[in-house]
Amino acid sequence: HIESMAFLTHQVTRGFSSSAVRNVIIKQVMIIGGGQMGAGIAQVAAATGHSVTLVDMSEDILKKAVKGIEGSLKRVVKKKFADKPEAGAEFVQNVMKNVSSSTDAASTAQSSDLVLEAIVENLKIKQDLFAGLDKVAPAHTIFASNTSSLPISDIASSTSRLDRFGGLHFFNPVPMMKLVEVIGTSATSQDTFDSLLNFSKALGKTPVSCKDTPGFIVNRLLVPYMMEAIRLHERGHGSKEDIDIAMKLGAGYPMGPFELLDYVGLDTAKFIIDGWCLMDPNNPLFGQSEMLNKLVAEGKYGRKTGEGFYKYK
């Protein structure tokens, strides 16, 4: 009986709400940013039957991104369709049919259910991007950012769709990592949040609900942990190697904190901690590390530059 009541009231409220605000089923996806994250999200969305348009500034970046998606799919297929190469080739073809690219963000936004941004971690650039798209995107279109460290509400503030703005934080490499952090601000409507949760599930991911606080869940715990590992080493209380081995064998982590820092990028770690330190200067967890600052100043960012805390051949 209670269920039927809930169903009835749901029907009535649905009648009142405008079609723009109702729970949007996300089919047409616009992804801004053809880097590793943008291309990874595009691949997963296309592989789960969504129509995806990847948008970036230049045709060259987009060509490279689309080629990268195809290469990544072919690697997936080698494992998945090991004994059926024809079926594998067909799968790749079908997924690639769902992927298009464009340098025209405004016209792409006009036919999108979701506009997801995965560009440089710069608040002003993100705000300017969304402010422009807010004027051309349909009323039902949901905006989302893949930021890992900037407040969603700060990015959303440049638009007039605060109720249809949220965060979708994917993890690298996107096709492999199962988690999506779905972030709602105090202004995000329940319908929008549900649409983002459902979209994450439709991608075959496991979503977790997060409040719009620095670092959401994963980075809020992970970045201070990595910083504390550096401080432990700076104090002379453990070598990098011993700290890494200790956390791998003692806590069951797949990588130690220094290996992880080199993988994530020391420049990225420093960028995040610097930003949080500005937001909350008295929080000891967000304090600076001289060793990290020195390595970044020397251009030693980790794996991507061949040297960070460790050297890579």
Side-chain angles (χ1 to χ4, degrees):
H1 176 71
I2 292 169
E3 276 173 14
S4 62
M5 263 307 290
F7 176 72
L8 273 170
T9 48
H10 185 60
Q11 289 303 313
V12 172
T13 49
R14 273 185 62 165
F16 286 126
S17 69
S18 75
S19 59
V21 182
R22 256 212 318 270
N23 208 331
V24 173
I25 293 173
I26 295 166
K27 283 289 174 208
Q28 305 279 337
V29 184
M30 169 183 176
I31 296 168
I32 307 163
Q36 209 176 4
M37 291 305 289
I41 300 164
Q43 176 185 326
V44 170
T48 48
H50 299 83
S51 173
V52 181
T53 307
L54 198 55
V55 174
D56 210 313
M57 311 272 272
S58 81
E59 290 290 354
D60 285 350
I61 294 171
L62 289 167
K63 273 199 193 99
K64 196 178 149 197
V66 172
K67 208 175 151 194
I69 292 170
E70 195 168 0
S72 175
L73 283 167
K74 283 178 176 161
R75 287 193 296 279
V76 170
V77 159
K78 263 194 189 133
K79 285 182 194 157
K80 236 183 174 173
F81 297 89
D83 44 358
K84 289 182 265 182
E86 289 86 15
E90 194 183 342
F91 173 77
V92 173
Q93 253 181 323
N94 288 339
V95 173
M96 292 311 291
K97 277 184 199 149
N98 292 333
V99 180
S100 55
S101 64
S102 172
T103 52
D104 185 350
S107 71
T108 305
Q110 285 166 14
S111 59
S112 300
D113 302 318
L114 172 68
V115 173
L116 176 60
E117 162 278 311
I119 60 170
V120 60
E121 286 282 78
N122 177 304
L123 182 60
K124 176 88 172 71
I125 294 173
K126 290 183 194 288
Q127 285 174 330
D128 290 348
L129 171 75
F130 279 121
L133 295 176
D134 188 40
K135 294 178 176 70
V136 293
H140 80 273
T141 306
I142 294 171
F143 284 5
S145 172
N146 179 56
T147 182
S148 58
S149 64
L150 298 169
I152 300 292
S153 52
D154 288 0
I155 303 170
S157 67
S158 65
T159 73
S160 59
R161 60 184 77 211
L162 301 185
D163 57 326
R164 280 151 294 148
F165 207 115
L168 281 175
H169 182 221
F170 290 83
F171 292 79
N172 194 18
V174 181
M176 305 289 295
M177 299 291 273
K178 290 263 181 272
L179 183 70
V180 180
E181 291 181 319
V182 181
I183 301 105
T185 71
S186 56
T188 307
S189 73
Q190 191 59 49
D191 273 340
T192 297
F193 196 78
D194 290 344
S195 292
L196 292 173
L197 280 175
N198 291 334
F199 173 64
S200 305
K201 288 176 193 163
L203 297 183
K205 302 297 183 194
T206 301
V208 290
S209 302
C210 303
K211 295 282 185 253
D212 189 20
T213 57
F216 315 127
I217 292 173
V218 173
N219 282 333
R220 181 62 180 77
L221 292 172
L222 196 58
V223 175
Y225 153 73
M226 294 191 295
M227 295 301 295
E228 194 54 31
I230 304 172
R231 293 186 197 109
L232 188 71
H233 178 48
E234 277 177 324
R235 293 194 297 266
H237 292 172
S239 71
K240 303 186 292 262
E241 294 78 6
D242 281 350
I243 294 169
D244 276 353
I245 289 168
M247 292 313 291
K248 284 192 288 193
L249 302 187
Y253 288 8
M255 278 186 213
F258 293 99
E259 291 171 319
L260 187 58
L261 278 155
D262 279 356
Y263 179 78
V264 168
L266 306 193
D267 53 333
T268 305
K270 177 171 161 52
F271 175 83
I272 293 172
I273 211 75
D274 287 354
W276 294 356
C277 188
L278 278 174
M279 270 186 247
D280 188 0
N282 298 322
N283 191 330
L285 291 176
F286 301 162
Q288 297 282 321
S289 151
E290 276 184 34
M291 189 178 283
L292 179 65
N293 290 346
K294 183 173 182 290
L295 286 167
V296 171
E298 290 167 359
K300 295 173 182 169
Y301 298 165
R303 283 179 175 272
K304 59 186 167 190
T305 58
E307 186 176 350
F309 283 103
Y310 296 110
K311 284 193 171 76
Y312 301 88
K313 290 277 183 287

